[in-house]
Amino acid sequence: MKFRTLGKTGFNISEVSLGTWQLGGKWGEPFDAKDAAETLAAAYESGVNYFDTADIYQDGHSEHAVGEFLKQHPDVHYSTKIGRKLEPHTPASYTKENLTTFVESSLKNMGVEALDLVLLHCPPTSVYYDPTVFWTLDELKKAGKIQNYGVSVERVEEAEKALQFDISAVEIIFNMFRLRPAEHFFTEAQAANVGILARVPLASGLLSGKYTLATTFGKDDHRTYNRDGAAFDKGETFSGVDFATGVKAADELKHRLGTDNLADMALRYILMYTAVSTVIPGASKPEQITANAQAAELPAFTEDQMAIVQDIYNTYIKNPVEYLW
């Protein structure tokens, strides 16, 4: 495993990390503490030293599992996200009182005195235009409750706006089907010494190359119920790509790149960008993160391979995905 610095945090983190939305069970399934612990252990044994969680993942069980793991492995770093507990999830709800309550809850759930990195969890766009939200995070940092803060975003414009504040990292969707962040934002983030956490790296599994038009998902899986954004931003599901189009594009990627293991190549592709601090694929089982961790060891993409990805993106994905996010 190779390591990169996560922006202003100074944390030296693994190029492949672990996203814990699915920790302890697939989307919509009950949480399994044993599976969660084994998945975290497998990640660590594979060289992974960074976990990304959120207060709403598995109703707090994900945070708790990561916190328990930290007790035995204090060298591990992590981010946790806050804000999606708000009902309603509106800009007006991003108050000092609510944000402080969320941070205190995460501190208790994880059993730590200060949180490594807190990210606002995809707040409404207008929140990025409200400096009082970020001033609250500054106060929590001065109080020693959090060491660093940043944002998890839906859109490039939100990421660019957040750079005016004292953020340490941005978590953003970036993968073979979502290339726009690399056009300008990555350069701006590097200039500001802001780390990049590349989320949804496999486009909800499309970039595993294993799906067909006949593939189905459980009724409580967002890949079933959120394809049109019924529950949250549709860009979270398949990176906003129409499923049939995504299957076709993934099949062409496999053919033109000459691989049956598109998932590993999709992760390695993201690491071609030096602005990216780490890529954070999810895993619900130990063997998944063990396989994902191996992607960092693959050879660098050639110029021809990079051009193939760009060509397929331009042909199948760019319109309308690039213009929406």
Side-chain angles (χ1 to χ4, degrees), residues 52-122:
D52 177 69
T53 186
D55 57 3
I56 62 166
Y57 288 174
Q58 302 284 27
D59 196 28
H61 290 299
S62 175
E63 271 192 335
H64 181 73
V66 172
E68 287 297 304
F69 192 83
L70 291 172
K71 293 177 181 178
Q72 302 300 320
H73 305 283
D75 55 321
V76 168
H77 291 291
Y78 60 89
S79 48
T80 192
K81 299 185 286 294
I82 62 171
R84 300 302 297 214
K85 285 184 177 180
L86 292 169
E87 290 290 347
H89 187 231
T90 62
S93 298
Y94 277 77
T95 64
K96 180 177 180 178
E97 180 182 6
N98 284 336
L99 292 173
T100 301
T101 297
F102 293 151
V103 166
E104 293 287 357
S105 177
S106 291
L107 286 168
K108 182 178 181 180
N109 206 19
M110 299 190 73
V112 297
E113 294 183 358
L115 298 168
D116 275 3
L117 174 62
V118 168
L119 305 173
L120 297 181
H121 199 172
C122 299

Side-chain angles (χ1 to χ4, degrees), residues 305-318:
Q305 289 174 319
M306 294 294 285
I308 287 169
V309 176
Q310 185 69 56
D311 182 52
I312 292 174
Y313 173 79
N314 290 344
T315 302
Y316 296 104
I317 310 297
K318 185 173 182 177

Side-chain angles (χ1 to χ4, degrees), residues 9-216:
T9 70
F11 299 156
N12 197 35
I13 64 173
S14 50
E15 287 186 334
V16 177
S17 299
L18 176 64
T20 65
W21 189 4
Q22 305 168 64
L23 186 69
K26 296 179 180 179
W27 287 306
E29 294 183 356
F31 180 78
D32 187 314
K34 183 175 180 291
D35 274 353
E38 291 177 352
T39 300
L40 293 170
Y44 189 76
E45 290 168 6
S46 299
V48 172
N49 75 338
Y50 191 85
F51 303 144
D52 177 69
T53 186
D55 57 3
I56 62 166
Y57 288 174
Q58 302 284 27
D59 196 28
H61 290 299
S62 175
E63 271 192 335
H64 181 73
V66 172
E68 287 297 304
F69 192 83
L70 291 172
K71 293 177 181 178
Q72 302 300 320
H73 305 283
D75 55 321
V76 168
H77 291 291
Y78 60 89
S79 48
T80 192
K81 299 185 286 294
I82 62 171
R84 300 302 297 214
K85 285 184 177 180
L86 292 169
E87 290 290 347
H89 187 231
T90 62
S93 298
Y94 277 77
T95 64
K96 180 177 180 178
E97 180 182 6
N98 284 336
L99 292 173
T100 301
T101 297
F102 293 151
V103 166
E104 293 287 357
S105 177
S106 291
L107 286 168
K108 182 178 181 180
N109 206 19
M110 299 190 73
V112 297
E113 294 183 358
L115 298 168
D116 275 3
L117 174 62
V118 168
L119 305 173
L120 297 181
H121 199 172
C122 299
T125 300
S126 62
V127 168
Y128 298 90
Y129 292 81
D130 182 359
T132 63
V133 172
F134 296 90
W135 294 344
T136 294
L137 295 172
D138 286 331
E139 291 177 11
L140 289 166
K141 186 175 178 181
K142 290 177 182 178
K145 301 291 186 181
I146 61 179
Q147 294 187 47
N148 304 274
Y149 69 81
V151 293
S152 182
V153 304
E154 299 288 4
R155 295 171 173 78
V156 170
E157 289 80 3
E158 294 168 345
E160 292 172 337
K161 185 65 177 175
L163 290 177
Q164 69 180 309
F165 303 106
D166 189 28
I167 62 172
S168 296
V170 170
E171 188 173 285
I172 191 168
I173 297 176
F174 180 65
N175 57 51
M176 287 176 165
F177 289 168
R178 187 74 78 84
L179 299 185
R180 187 179 168 211
E183 292 180 5
H184 302 291
F185 172 66
F186 280 5
T187 300
E188 296 169 1
Q190 280 185 300
N193 194 22
V194 168
I196 300 294
L197 305 168
R199 68 188 186 94
V200 197
L202 299 179
S204 306
L206 270 178
L207 287 168
S208 69
K210 297 178 181 179
Y211 295 170
T212 70
L213 294 180
T215 301
T216 59

Side-chain angles (χ1 to χ4, degrees), residues 216-225:
T216 59
F217 308 93
K219 67 180 180 63
D220 294 326
D221 190 314
H222 74 101
R223 292 171 294 185
T224 296
Y225 66 76

